[in-house]
Amino acid sequence: MEHWLYVFIGLLIIILVYSIIEQKFFVTTTYKLSYDYLKNIAPLNFVVLSDLHNSAFGKNNIKLIKKIDELNPDFILLAGDMITKNKLCMPSNAYILLKELSKRYKIYYAYGNHEQKLDDLASDKNPAAQKLYNSWRQYKATLYEHGVVFLDNMSLSYINRSANKENKNINIRGLSIELDYYKPGKPEVLEEDYLNKLIGEKNPSDFDILIAHNPLYFPDYARWGSDLVISGHVHGGIIRLPFLKGVISPQMKLFPKYDAGEFSIGNSKMLLSRGLGTHSFMLRVFNRPELVNVIIDNKL
């Protein structure tokens, strides 16, 4: 019995050491998409950063910046949780990274649950909470000055790439659902008109990129009419096993349906990032951090 106990402890130590080393090296996943109903647009190339949680790849995230520069995106989408709810945002690895990237790329920042929790500290009179909230306010204000666009239940038109009236406008929307929808246990069901109240009705003549941190409600996003959903939050299922994929979600659901990768419902597609970091005691095991590159090209 003692022998097997030592073997078990040894395996745990090996997995722990491997996990720590693994988190220092990210991979790049490229998705190439085409849409028959997008006419006459030039190829669109963008990268997605999600769930950084203030991690760093090299000093001041130089390795991550170098890779993004190699990809040369038209813009960058942030799918939330770049920072961590119980850590100061200023100074931070996330701030240093985004400040540097904002010098040459347009950045669209949608909230994750950690950004939302920091936002909710506005009315908390506890000195520690106010310190966190003030750091969050400074983080937002400074990044805004550097040109970062915050999309907290907001949208904007990216560009109309053709004078052809049949071509669709490209909208980028950031969705912030209430924090109750992140709680462990059985998920809530979104009310039928819930998304319309938060981000407005879908215009069928437009192409909508919806940045929605929580992928659990992809069927609702598809029903709303999103053409492309960008999500994160699940950290790839935290532990990834061959053939079984992600083991557990942050909402404590085993083998979640939406763990990482590409998913489709009707004409709607969702790209779910494994994220770049972690927080608290959530180890990533056999689950390399992931930078996502998206290319939309109707000639593919």
Side-chain angles (χ1 to χ4, degrees), residues 2-270:
E2 243 180 60
H3 171 73
W4 288 110
L5 179 61
Y6 291 146
V7 171
F8 179 72
I9 293 173
L11 285 174
L12 283 181
I13 292 173
I14 291 172
I15 290 173
L16 177 62
V17 172
Y18 177 80
S19 173
I20 293 171
I21 295 173
E22 182 183 42
Q23 291 178 45
K24 297 183 182 297
F25 302 93
F26 66 90
V27 296
T28 303
T29 303
T30 299
Y31 295 95
K32 296 182 178 181
L33 309 176
S34 63
Y35 294 84
D36 293 338
Y37 50 85
L38 273 182
K39 299 179 180 180
N40 304 318
I41 69 164
L44 197 63
N45 172 31
F46 61 92
V47 298
V48 176
L49 307 180
S50 180
D51 300 278
L52 182 71
H53 290 293
N54 274 321
S55 297
F57 300 91
K59 185 177 181 181
N60 294 332
N61 264 306
I62 186 62
K63 294 179 182 178
L64 192 55
I65 292 170
K66 182 179 179 181
K67 184 60 183 180
I68 292 172
D69 285 342
E70 288 176 6
L71 296 171
N72 190 29
D74 298 314
F75 55 83
I76 297 173
L77 300 185
L78 306 182
D81 284 4
M82 297 298 288
I83 39 75
T84 301
K85 63 184 179 181
N86 56 0
K87 302 290 185 181
L88 294 175
C89 302
M90 296 284 284
S92 68
N93 289 322
Y95 170 72
I96 294 170
L97 170 66
L98 298 181
K99 179 183 176 183
E100 182 61 29
L101 290 174
S102 68
K103 294 176 182 178
R104 47 197 179 279
Y105 305 109
K106 197 65 182 176
I107 300 175
Y108 302 98
Y109 194 144
Y111 286 9
N113 52 304
H114 282 250
E115 282 90 358
Q116 287 183 248
K117 286 179 179 178
L118 285 167
D119 229 25
D120 283 356
L121 294 178
S123 58
D124 193 327
K125 303 304 181 184
N126 182 286
Q130 280 300 299
K131 185 176 181 180
L132 285 171
Y133 178 68
N134 289 334
S135 177
W136 162 241
R137 283 184 61 195
Q138 183 186 3
Y139 170 84
K140 284 198 302 179
T142 310
L143 288 177
Y144 179 79
E145 291 175 359
H146 288 289
V148 175
V149 179
F150 287 86
L151 297 175
D152 179 20
N153 286 329
M154 295 178 63
S155 66
L156 54 83
S157 291
Y158 168 65
I159 194 169
N160 188 332
R161 289 177 171 261
S162 172
N164 186 341
K165 293 181 180 179
E166 294 181 354
N167 193 31
K168 295 174 180 286
N169 291 323
I170 299 175
N171 295 326
I172 301 175
R173 300 177 187 260
L175 176 67
S176 304
I177 60 176
E178 294 173 77
L179 289 172
D180 283 347
Y181 294 112
Y182 286 93
K183 289 181 178 179
K186 187 177 180 179
E188 299 279 348
V189 177
L190 296 185
E191 296 176 8
E192 186 174 346
D193 203 38
Y194 183 72
L195 294 182
N196 285 340
K197 292 176 181 176
L198 291 181
I199 56 175
E201 294 186 10
K202 158 75 173 180
N203 185 338
S205 67
D206 291 346
F207 181 86
D208 277 275
I209 299 174
L210 178 66
I211 315 173
H213 184 66
N214 191 341
L216 184 63
Y217 302 100
F218 177 42
D220 296 279
Y221 309 150
R223 194 177 305 115
W224 176 82
S226 59
D227 299 277
L228 176 60
V229 178
I230 302 296
S231 288
H233 183 57
V234 185
H235 294 201
I238 302 174
I239 300 170
R240 295 186 66 79
L241 300 177
F243 308 109
L244 294 177
K245 304 196 302 179
V247 173
I248 189 168
S249 75
Q251 289 170 292
M252 301 300 143
K253 183 175 181 179
L254 288 174
F255 305 110
K257 179 178 180 179
Y258 302 121
D259 59 340
E262 181 178 349
F263 302 88
S264 296
I265 297 178
N267 290 327
S268 183
K269 300 176 183 179
M270 177 171 72

